[in-house]
Amino acid sequence: MKKVFFSIIIPVFNTDKFLKKCIESVIFQDFQDFEILLINDCSTDKSENICQKFQIENPNKIKVLKNKKNLGVGLSQNLGLKFANGRYIIFLDSDDYL
């Protein structure tokens, strides 16, 4: 991905009830110079499907990464940092929204 102003890192674990609203709250911002990194932390609900759907619909904005085992929020955020291309980093919980 190209350099962007913001990288928004969203760790995801079993939040399929909130995840769509979370992602849409970022995508529909007026400011568009950002990327979203969704870090699936081994969800067992429909979260992975939701992440994949949004990535397919927004391939230039969204990257989905998956942990091999459940690592928790902090380590998932650290994984996102390794792949972030933004000048600035924003962490957003998958059950919150902007």
Side-chain angles (χ1 to χ4, degrees), residues 4-81:
V4 292
F5 200 69
F6 289 108
S7 290
I8 302 165
I9 298 172
I10 306 174
V12 176
F13 180 71
N14 291 346
T15 53
D16 64 352
K17 305 271 187 280
F18 314 100
L19 188 54
K20 180 179 183 219
K21 183 175 182 178
C22 174
I23 296 169
E24 286 178 343
S25 78
V26 177
I27 290 173
F28 296 135
Q29 294 290 319
D30 291 336
F31 187 80
Q32 289 294 307
D33 192 14
F34 64 83
E35 67 178 352
I36 300 172
L37 290 98
L38 298 168
I39 317 301
N40 182 1
D41 195 22
C42 298
S43 294
T44 57
D45 63 1
K46 297 177 184 173
S47 294
E48 184 171 10
N49 294 340
I50 294 167
C51 291
Q52 294 298 331
K53 176 184 173 284
F54 275 97
Q55 182 182 35
I56 290 167
E57 293 172 355
N58 303 277
N60 296 324
K61 287 272 185 213
I62 297 178
K63 179 185 285 189
V64 177
L65 305 168
K66 184 175 181 179
N67 293 334
K68 292 180 181 175
K69 63 179 184 173
N70 183 266
L71 299 175
V73 172
L75 292 175
S76 295
Q77 289 173 335
N78 288 343
L79 176 64
L81 287 172

